[in-house]
Amino acid sequence: MITIVSGTNRPGSNTLKVAKYYQQAMADRGINTNLLSLDSLPENIIQTDLYGKRSDEFKPILELVNQTEKFVFIIPEYNGSFPGVLKVFIDACEFPASFYDKKCCLVGISSGKYGNIRGIDHFGGVCSYLHLNVMPLRLHIPAIKTELNEQNTFFREDTLKFTTEQIEKFILY
């Protein structure tokens, strides 16, 4: 089972648009995926699902994560790194059941010109600690506001080339 994680809880985010693009691209290749947008997390997750606590709202999310074998993380740049809500989500999951010895690929996006290079590097460190195996091909998509067309799909030749390569390699990973 593959789950695509939209790594922010920002409503209407470009991150969610990219996650949906990846989901459709995999569906076009006959691969069914789940989409987990962090805007579906319980609003009070810090009080309800950390330090051994578990809410009814988070249980189906945790079940999805624990059943997932491979993750695609779409991660926007927030203040030179990845969003705090993504770290809270990771912390709320179970260790080691949620991520240990599973696989993932990372896609960084930003409105700036570096495509969240630093945030993807930081998140890679978290993945290493969790024993979550990261596929070597990591993408960094800068100027995300200029990368998506009216249908919220990529249209630039180089971006299509690299996302296609990453998706195809990830399916085989």
Side-chain angles (χ1 to χ4, degrees), residues 7 11 22 32 37 43 48 56-57 63 79 92 104 120 123 128 132 141 144 155:
Y22 267 69
N32 291 325
S37 178
E43 286 187 22
T48 60
D56 289 337
E57 294 82 14
E63 185 176 316
N79 300 312
C104 75
I120 292 298
F123 193 74
S128 292
L132 179 57
I141 304 172
I144 192 64
F155 65 95

Side-chain angles (χ1 to χ4, degrees), residues 8-25:
T8 182
N9 59 342
R10 180 179 294 196
S13 69
N14 286 317
T15 306
L16 183 57
K17 293 172 188 174
V18 173
K20 288 179 179 179
Y21 173 85
Y22 267 69
Q23 185 175 42
Q24 184 59 53

Side-chain angles (χ1 to χ4, degrees), residues 60-81:
I61 295 169
L62 183 60
E63 185 176 316
L64 171 66
V65 169
N66 287 351
Q67 292 175 359
T68 297
E69 297 168 359
K70 294 164 64 171
F71 297 89
V72 177
F73 288 97
I74 312 296
I75 305 174
E77 180 177 347
Y78 276 34
N79 300 312
S81 190

Side-chain angles (χ1 to χ4, degrees), residues 153-167:
T153 61
F154 292 117
F155 65 95
R156 295 177 186 240
E157 187 176 332
D158 60 338
T159 306
L160 289 168
K161 174 186 169 204
F162 290 121
T163 56
T164 298
E165 179 183 0
Q166 185 187 45
I167 290 165

Side-chain angles (χ1 to χ4, degrees), residues 44-55 58 87-95:
N44 57 348
I45 189 171
I46 293 173
Q47 288 81 32
T48 60
D49 290 282
L50 296 177
Y51 314 117
K53 299 177 189 173
R54 192 60 66 215
S55 68
F58 192 70
K87 182 64 165 71
V88 169
F89 162 70
I90 297 291
D91 291 346
C93 290
E94 296 175 331
F95 184 82

Side-chain angles (χ1 to χ4, degrees), residues 1-5 22 26 68-75 86 90 98-107 120 123-128 130-139 166 169-173:
M1 178 190 316
I2 296 173
T3 297
I4 301 168
V5 179
Y22 267 69
M26 288 195 187
T68 297
E69 297 168 359
K70 294 164 64 171
F71 297 89
V72 177
F73 288 97
I74 312 296
I75 305 174
L86 179 56
I90 297 291
S98 295
F99 301 106
Y100 202 90
D101 280 341
K102 295 181 179 182
K103 298 177 180 181
C104 75
C105 75
L106 307 179
V107 181
I120 292 298
F123 193 74
V126 172
C127 292
S128 292
L130 297 171
H131 291 246
L132 179 57
N133 300 296
V134 180
M135 188 175 85
L137 179 57
R138 303 172 186 197
L139 289 190
Q166 185 187 45
K169 285 185 175 187
F170 186 64
I171 290 169
L172 299 173
Y173 184 59

